[in-house]
Structures are given as C-alpha cells and as structure tokens.
Amino acid sequence: MNLWKRILPVLVLALALPAVSSALDLPRIVSADWLEKNGSDPAIRIVDIRKPEEYKAGHVPNAINLFYGSWAVKRNNLDNQLPEDEDLADLVKSAGIDKATAVVVVGKVDTTTDQVNATRVAWTLRYAGVAQVGVLDGGFNKWSADKKPESTDAGKVEAAKGKMSPNRQFLASKADVTAKLGKVILVDTRLPEFFFGIAKIPIVAREGRIPQSVNLPSAWIFTKEGAFKSREDLEAMAAGVVGKDKTAEIITFCDTGRLCAGGWYVLSEVLGYQNVKLYDGSTQEWAADANAPMVKYSWK
Amino acid sequence: MKKRPSDDPALCGQCHEEIAGNFKKSLHYTTAGLKHGVSPRFSPEEAKTFAGKVFPTACNSCHASCGDCHLKSPVISGVSAGLLQRHRFVKRDEGKTCALCHGGRVYPEFTGEYGGTPDVHYQKGMACLDCHSKSESHGDGTAQASRQERKERPSCVKCHPPGKETTEKAKSAHAMHGAKLSCSACHSSGPYRNCYNCHLGKGAEARPGFILGRNPRDPKMVTTLRVIPTVRDTFASAGIRMEKYDALPNYWGTVPHNIKKRTERTRSCDSCHEEKELFLRKEVLLPGGSKANEGLIAVPKSLK
C-alpha cells in the first residue's frame, strides 16, 4: 500500500506531462494576435532569425535570436545546406528546443528571400526532429506594423538536453531525385523564367530545370505585404499543380534549397500533404553535373 | 556648413576631453598601420615620396571621425548609409559603422554574407565591441605604428582558457597542437577574402581562398594567412619602385572572422596531415612574389 502511495503521484505526473506538451496545438501559420496571446507559454519557443543587429533593436517578447545563417550554411560548395547533424543538434539544443517544444519562427518579409527564410528554418527544425513548428505570418514587419509589444532584452534560455534524431523523410538527395525521376511529383519553386530556362543565377551552371517537373513559384504563395495567401488560395494553387491526392510523393526544389522551403512548408505543413521532401542541393548541385538531364524552352 | 565637423577631435573634446585626446593618437585616426605595414619595402628616399605623395591622399583620407561611428555611417566610395538614429548620437551600432569600413573582408565573413558559415560569435548575437575593446577604437593615448603594438587586443583564450574543454578530444587536440597552431588554423570555417594585384588608384582583385602557413611575425606558429595585395609595381605611378620589396612576404597572419566549433580540420587529422592542399607550398606561391614568401612554407608530416 505504501509503495502504491509513493508510485501513484509519479504515475499521475508521468501521464500528465505528455498531455501538457501535446495540449498545445500550434497553428502552422501563426498570426500576430495568436502569438501575442500565447507567446509567454513556456511550451513555446520563439526563434527570431533576423540579424542580431535587427533583433537587438526590437523583437517579439520572449524571442531568442538565432539568425538565418546559422541554420543554412555553405557545404561542399553548395549554398543553403543543412549544417552537419551534430552542429544542428548543438544549435537546436542551445535554443532550449527539444522534440516536444512548439517553435514559432519569426523572420522579416522585405523580400521573397526574407519570406522563405522562415520556412527554410521551419523545415530545418522539422528535419532536426521538432514535432511542431509554425511561422509568424507577415514576420516581424507585421508584428511591428500592428503595434504589438516589442522587447530589447536579450532572451536567454537553458540549453536543452537529450538526443535529437533527424527526420530524414523530409530530405531528398540528388540520388533520390535521380532514382525517382518520373515516379514522383517534382515541384520547381522558382519563377517561370527560371523554370522555362531563359534565366539563371550565376552560381547555377546551366539554364533549365529537372525533367518532368512542374512549376509552383514560392514567390506566389505570399501576398505583396509578405503574408501567406489565404488557405483557400493556397489549397487551390496546390491542387492545380500537384493535384488533390495528399498521399502523393512530392519533392520541391529551386536553385539552392532556400526558395523551395516555401513550397515545402505550404504543401507539407499548411495543407497536409503527407509525403513532401525538399531537395537541399537543388539546381545548384544538379546542373553542376554535366550528365544530369535538364529541360528548357518548354512548359512540359 | 562645415563638412565632417567632428573630423577634428577637438570639437567633441570640448566635453569628452580624454576620449578625444586619445583618439587623436589612435590608429583609426592616424591610419599609421597602413603606412608602417608597407614601409619596410621602401628605400629612405621612397619612404619620403610615399609619406608626401601617397599616404595623405590614398591612405589617410579614409580615417574615422567621431561622427563616423557615433552619428552616421561612414562614407565608403562616396556613399554613406546616412544617420544612425536620426540626429541622436549613439554609443555603438556596429552593423552600420564598423561593418562599412571593414565591409570588404571582416564583417561579411563574420555574418556569413561572404558566402560561408557565419562566425559562431555572431550566431550567439555578439558584435565587434564584444571582443574589441573601446580602447582599441578610441586609442589609449599612446601613438602606435600598428595594431600589433597594442597591449589590449582580442584573444580567444580570454574567454576559452585551455583546460576548460568539455570533451577529451578537444582537450587532447589543444594540448597537442596549442604551441604550434593558432586557434584560427583549425577553427576558421572556410574560405575568406584575399585581395590580389593592387595598383594605386585602380584597386585590387578579390577572390576567396584558405591558406595555412607560418606566421611571418611568429614563424614557429602555423596560422591562417591572408594575401597582401601589394605587388612590385603597386606604387609605380607615384614613382616608387619598392627597392626593398622582398623585405616583406606577400602573406600576413590573419584571424578570419568565420570561426566555427567544428571544421574539417577538427574532424579529421587527414585534412591537414595527408591532404596538404590548404597549406602554402612552393608550387602555389604567388608568381613574381616576394622572396620572403618561402620562409612561410610549412607542410605537416604524414601520420602514416
């Protein structure tokens, strides 16, 4: 009986803990109003990915600063790559984030690149094993424009302990794309001129796209103010390009793996497509291989 | 209207007497480092020509004034980013001040904008003045020929003292290499900007590179080296042939501001001991470069 009395409270607490962490249902597109209301919840970690100088000038209260360049690094001559697993685990844990932490990523939305940066960090966190990640809609620009409270105190957190296990199902390699050509829906998230092959950025060796890909530009998922378009619009755009089958296997790509995070985020996290990967090496890696097939001057 | 009113520190010195007095002798104001860095290459006659014709217009013209750091962004190539916080003076705003004068190499390497990994200290939210003291910017009242003469300089071991490592691997790696390698030799994350082929009035060409070799100022230490863009005819248009060009090498020790905890060199012994590509070797020395360059060659022994 005495033993039972001792065990019971521990048992109750053990059963209650997961319930506490799973009670929070983090929206994937987080509104400024929602974050203002819930931002002080200890189950939430707000990560500001703007430059330290911008963060110091004013940020969402309770946000910590881990700027974009920490999450996407240059590796093997490719831009915007995942850090090595052990570096990524250090980074995530230094932010006090573990698998159960609900993370809200806050960026800025001045340019398309800024807009997709938050989604790229969200993808990286999901890859790192974090279960719930949201993106502040309209970024800090909207937060500030809405006259929400700002802090200049540097957020400090205790590092998280425990092991992170990467979710490799979100990542596609060049070998994966090669093996699945024709068997998977490849989504080129660059603007149509890049998809058609009349434009390229200097770090990409050749114009054109990976064969049998379809075009859904990440720039088009945002309004001109840098907020996500409405769910109805996003759902219709996705259905028109990749279809309505949410179990379809999809791989998004762009030039360097940054833009395509926007497409990945909307398909996988917002609309619930269940099998969406991101090709991190993207066209920068693909086009550098002279033997890798590319298509241009056609829409099909 | 007076152009650059704080160019004469005496103006700010009316209230900030000590700082202004020190600043007048600081390297930011005198730019003496630029003169003394190249002067060993000159004959006495050439040194006079340099001091009279080249230094005042080409080197000292970009010295800092009080306002360049505390009121507005400095003018770079004729352009300034404007006031820092309207007409308010600010204590520090490194991203709009230091970042512009040191924006060719140091700052974009620090933030990762040069194309590599951002410095781990920037990732932690640190900026220039978190390592570089106020007295480095303002001077300490003594006239110095270069920053090497400064007593108070940033040092990795001030914050990361040997013996405080958290892993056995780091402990043994530091114990084994500490007296032979600079911190940056292993912890610089990758290529940094090197400038080549500088000509008076025309500028230099820049490209990324990563070079390990002996530190010219401390040859027993191997460190990261940065190319000095001064070539034999850099000052030819001013009539300076640099009679003693070979007195200095074409590389100086540098601490690239792209520090990372783990790099290829900390992960694998082979990256230095078997693959020698990162090291300065005879076959990669600059063509037509200084004879002093050969003294910087240091290739590690194979472990096999």
Side-chain angles (χ1 to χ4, degrees):
Chain A
M1 189 62 185
N2 279 346
L3 182 67
W4 181 242
K5 269 186 183 169
R6 282 209 301 273
I7 290 172
L8 189 64
V10 177
L11 201 63
V12 167
L13 187 66
L15 289 170
L17 276 177
V20 169
S21 59
S22 63
L24 180 78
D25 189 12
L26 182 74
R28 297 320 191 240
I29 298 177
V30 177
S31 71
D33 288 341
W34 189 95
L35 191 58
E36 184 181 22
K37 195 174 158 197
N38 296 283
S40 56
D41 185 330
I44 294 176
R45 176 79 63 240
I46 306 168
V47 178
D48 188 325
I49 60 161
R50 296 173 304 146
K51 287 181 166 186
E53 300 93 312
E54 294 166 323
Y55 169 82
K56 281 178 186 169
H59 52 260
V60 175
N62 302 312
I64 57 154
N65 183 218
L66 276 171
F67 101 113
Y68 176 77
S70 312
W71 300 95
V73 301
K74 189 162 187 168
R75 276 174 68 191
N76 305 320
N77 283 326
L78 297 173
D79 296 83
N80 288 303
Q81 297 298 290
L82 278 167
E84 297 269 1
D85 282 351
E86 56 186 346
D87 292 341
L88 180 57
D90 274 0
L91 187 65
V92 171
K93 288 196 284 183
S94 75
I97 296 170
D98 61 25
K99 290 175 195 173
T101 312
V103 183
V104 178
V105 183
V106 178
K108 58 181 182 178
V109 296
D110 299 345
T111 64
T112 302
T113 304
D114 291 331
Q115 290 157 14
V116 294
N117 279 353
T119 61
R120 168 74 198 202
V121 173
W123 174 76
T124 307
L125 283 160
R126 293 286 282 126
Y127 170 85
V130 180
Q132 291 198 85
V133 185
V135 170
L136 178 63
D137 199 17
F140 189 73
N141 304 53
K142 183 162 178 3
W143 180 273
S144 189
D146 287 355
K147 304 211 179 312
K148 300 290 186 196
E150 293 183 22
S151 168
T152 51
D153 298 335
K156 279 192 177 163
V157 288
E158 244 184 67
K161 294 185 174 72
K163 213 178 160 205
M164 302 297 293
S165 323
N167 267 327
R168 297 194 196 280
Q169 83 251 24
F170 295 127
L171 173 68
S173 65
K174 181 163 172 277
D176 293 333
V177 175
T178 305
K180 299 208 167 181
L181 273 180
K183 302 171 201 155
V184 67
I185 302 172
L186 275 165
V187 183
D188 185 342
T189 59
R190 300 172 301 167
L191 287 168
E193 54 265 42
F194 295 85
F195 177 81
F196 190 69
I198 56 161
K200 74 171 187 70
I201 59 172
I203 56 170
V204 167
R206 291 181 285 155
E207 289 94 353
R209 64 182 186 274
I210 301 174
Q212 303 181 59
S213 49
V214 292
N215 192 210
L216 180 56
S218 283
W220 296 356
I221 63 178
F222 298 100
T223 65
K224 66 180 188 330
E225 290 81 20
F228 285 98
K229 284 186 176 162
S230 70
R231 188 186 170 92
E232 293 69 34
D233 279 347
L234 294 173
E235 190 89 65
M237 283 166 72
V241 178
V242 302
K244 292 182 179 174
D245 179 5
K246 300 259 167 121
T247 63
E249 192 173 359
I250 299 169
I251 297 175
T252 66
F253 73 95
C254 55
D255 280 322
T256 67
R258 186 193 320 231
L259 260 182
C260 60
W264 176 87
Y265 192 77
V266 165
L267 293 169
S268 172
E269 306 300 283
V270 179
L271 301 178
Y273 285 81
Q274 293 154 25
N275 193 359
V276 190
K277 292 180 169 62
L278 180 151
Y279 174 24
D280 204 15
S282 277
T283 317
Q284 189 182 16
E285 182 185 38
W286 188 268
D289 175 358
N291 296 318
M294 289 187 80
V295 175
K296 63 178 180 177
Y297 303 155
S298 83
W299 295 108
K300 287 186 178 174
Chain B
M1 189 184 286
K2 188 165 181 181
K3 198 176 171 186
R4 295 186 92 198
S6 66
D7 197 22
D8 180 358
L11 179 74
C12 301
Q14 290 173 27
C15 295
H16 305 278
E17 191 182 346
E18 190 184 344
I19 295 172
N22 289 347
F23 186 61
K24 230 172 167 170
K25 292 179 183 171
S26 75
L27 291 167
H28 270 140
Y29 191 70
T30 64
T31 63
L34 298 173
K35 186 195 288 181
H36 293 281
V38 71
S39 57
R41 298 193 198 271
F42 301 144
S43 68
E45 205 51 43
E46 287 175 332
K48 274 187 211 161
T49 310
F50 181 81
K53 279 171 70 174
V54 180
F55 181 73
T57 50
C59 306
N60 191 240
S61 64
C62 71
H63 67 271
S65 71
C66 305
D68 284 332
C69 299
H70 295 292
L71 184 62
K72 63 161 187 60
S73 291
V75 179
I76 305 295
S77 305
V79 180
S80 165
L83 295 167
L84 302 173
Q85 274 185 28
R86 299 191 184 91
H87 283 93
R88 262 178 283 172
F89 283 82
V90 299
K91 267 193 169 177
R92 56 188 278 192
D93 193 343
E94 293 99 315
K96 292 180 185 165
T97 54
C98 312
L100 299 190
C101 288
H102 299 277
R105 295 183 294 199
V106 178
Y107 204 75
E109 286 165 11
F110 190 56
T111 59
E113 283 157 314
Y114 186 56
T117 305
D119 193 290
V120 67
H121 303 93
Y122 186 68
Q123 290 185 25
K124 303 272 181 196
M126 292 168 69
C128 312
L129 292 174
D130 293 316
C131 292
H132 295 273
S133 67
K134 249 194 284 185
S135 78
E136 271 190 275
S137 301
H138 289 155
D140 59 8
T142 57
Q144 282 138 1
S146 87
R147 64 197 162 96
Q148 311 301 324
E149 292 182 5
R150 289 195 45 77
K151 282 181 205 140
E152 200 180 353
R153 300 179 61 204
S155 161
C156 307
V157 294
K158 274 186 198 166
C159 295
H160 307 282
K164 297 277 183 191
E165 298 89 342
T166 53
T167 65
E168 282 307 314
K169 188 184 170 193
K171 234 175 242 178
S172 70
H174 289 161
M176 201 177 295
H177 297 98
K180 303 173 199 162
L181 293 176
S182 70
C183 304
S184 64
C186 293
H187 292 284
S188 167
S189 63
Y192 44 89
R193 180 172 277 173
N194 286 275
C195 297
Y196 298 81
N197 206 20
C198 182
H199 288 94
L200 187 61
K202 293 181 183 165
E205 301 147 17
R207 55 179 183 269
F210 188 95
I211 309 162
L212 290 171
R214 293 191 189 284
N215 185 343
R217 295 184 181 96
D218 183 8
K220 70 176 189 304
M221 294 292 279
V222 169
T223 190
T224 33
L225 299 176
R226 211 187 285 261
V227 173
I228 303 167
T230 312
V231 290
R232 290 183 188 273
D233 60 351
T234 290
F235 302 109
S237 61
I240 299 173
R241 290 178 49 237
M242 286 191 276
E243 288 181 14
K244 297 197 283 178
Y245 181 79
D246 294 311
L248 296 176
N250 292 116
Y251 309 86
W252 277 135
T254 186
V255 182
H257 282 48
N258 59 1
I259 299 302
K260 195 165 175 264
K261 182 175 168 184
R262 302 185 190 93
T263 66
E264 290 306 309
R265 277 146 283 132
T266 67
R267 288 180 210 275
S268 155
C269 305
D270 285 2
S271 65
C272 286
H273 288 279
E274 306 306 330
E275 300 151 20
K276 323 275 174 148
E277 287 79 13
L278 301 177
F279 287 83
L280 196 62
R281 288 155 288 134
K282 202 162 187 177
E283 60 269 29
V284 298
L285 288 178
L286 288 169
S290 166
K291 287 173 187 160
N293 293 343
E294 290 198 19
L296 308 183
I297 293 173
V299 180
K301 287 178 193 160
S302 168
L303 299 176
K304 289 176 182 167

